[in-house]
Amino acid sequence: MVFEQLTERKQREREMRNAGRLPPGQSLTLKWPVLHEGDVPAFDPQTWNFRVTGLVEHALRLTWAEFMALPMTEVTADMHCVTRWSRFDVRWEGVLCSEVARRAVPKAEAKFVMVLAEQGYTSNVPLADLMRPTSLFALKHNGEPLPAEHGYPARLVVPHLYAWKSVKWVRGLSFMAEDAPGFWEDNGYHMYGDPFREQRFSG
Ligand SMILES: Nc1nc2c(c(=O)[nH]1)N[C@H]1C(S)=C(S)[C@@H](COP(=O)(O)O)O[C@H]1N2
Ligand SMILES: [Mo]
């Protein structure tokens, strides 16, 4: 049984490598590891809000009801963690980052975004990367509401960057002119984090 699982995993891993979808130094996991600093925060729909600040024409403060009323999109994408596991064809459902940005209207000088989460976790992402049609605030994973430990009620997903940028329990965005390090970037991780270029740590 264990042997069969290993074989299935190895076969799928080879398939993904051949398809150019397994970044260097990564291996396939069939599970969904849980990785984060600190505790799983509680969610109160009465007090939860999503705030957009910084270099935008319209600062936003959306309630949970307002956030859920935004248009929903489905994105199927791969997930790569810097600790060397990758998952493939994950189906996310939620609000595209571009939908939120469109309402806030970034100023011309806004080039980077600090993503803000519960308990002070942050990560920086270039605005252009957030505007891609695969970057979203996911509310569902493979058709089910996000499990608490994976970011319920909402998490950012930026599938083309290492998953430390895919901020769980996301609460807001701050638009900036210059790049600035978030939590892991401040602790030696790469400012951009492209898994296909193995941008794990800063130089
Ligand atoms: N708020 C928050 N988001 C976070 C983290 C964290 O510590 N806090 N860890 C990141 C890291 S390092 C990874 S690999 C992914 C893991 O997501 P998962 O636990 O759903 O697999 O979440 C990212 N998002
Ligand atoms: Mo990670």
Side-chain angles (χ1 to χ4, degrees):
M1 193 55 210
V2 171
F3 180 73
E4 279 171 24
Q5 277 176 12
L6 185 70
T7 307
E8 182 199 326
R9 193 180 72 77
K10 282 292 162 196
Q11 266 172 13
R12 181 122 167 96
E13 190 175 278
R14 188 175 315 125
E15 202 183 298
M16 290 298 118
R17 181 176 289 115
N18 292 342
R21 289 170 61 185
L22 185 72
Q26 297 292 112
S27 59
L28 166 67
T29 176
L30 297 176
K31 303 207 185 84
W32 189 8
V34 173
L35 248 92
H36 55 258
E37 289 295 301
D39 304 322
V40 174
F43 167 58
D44 178 354
Q46 298 305 315
T47 55
W48 188 96
N49 57 37
F50 190 94
R51 300 180 65 171
V52 182
T53 59
L55 299 172
V56 291
E57 298 296 343
H58 308 293
L60 302 177
R61 192 173 178 284
L62 303 172
T63 64
W64 175 241
E66 288 167 339
F67 195 83
M68 282 213 304
L70 295 172
M72 298 285 163
T73 304
E74 233 183 75
V75 172
T76 299
D78 303 337
M79 179 174 191
H80 310 292
C81 172
V82 73
T83 63
R84 300 185 181 273
W85 53 263
S86 294
R87 303 171 66 222
F88 295 92
D89 295 314
V90 184
R91 193 158 48 87
W92 304 102
E93 197 180 324
V95 179
L96 288 180
C97 301
S98 61
E99 288 287 348
V100 173
R102 202 156 61 82
R103 284 163 176 79
V105 189
K107 293 187 174 170
E109 58 271 33
K111 298 286 182 239
F112 295 89
V113 177
M114 190 63 80
V115 184
L116 314 168
E118 300 283 352
Q119 300 172 350
Y121 186 88
T122 54
S123 192
N124 54 310
V125 179
L127 178 54
D129 292 75
L130 269 195
M131 299 306 278
R132 289 200 192 187
T134 48
S135 297
L136 79 163
F137 300 108
L139 310 180
K140 288 186 173 180
H141 168 274
N142 291 342
E144 303 287 335
L146 220 47
E149 67 274 22
H150 290 295
Y152 182 82
R155 78 175 296 165
L156 176 63
V157 176
V158 183
H160 65 283
L161 300 177
Y162 280 126
W164 83 76
K165 304 262 185 198
S166 286
V167 173
K168 302 195 278 192
W169 313 295
V170 66
R171 290 289 302 272
L173 302 175
S174 176
F175 286 69
M176 314 181 290
E178 308 287 339
D179 203 2
F183 177 79
W184 281 117
E185 295 83 6
D186 225 3
N187 283 281
Y189 280 33
H190 199 275
M191 287 294 272
Y192 186 63
D194 179 350
F196 286 91
R197 289 188 279 166
E198 276 198 86
Q199 294 176 334
R200 299 175 189 276
F201 307 105
S202 57

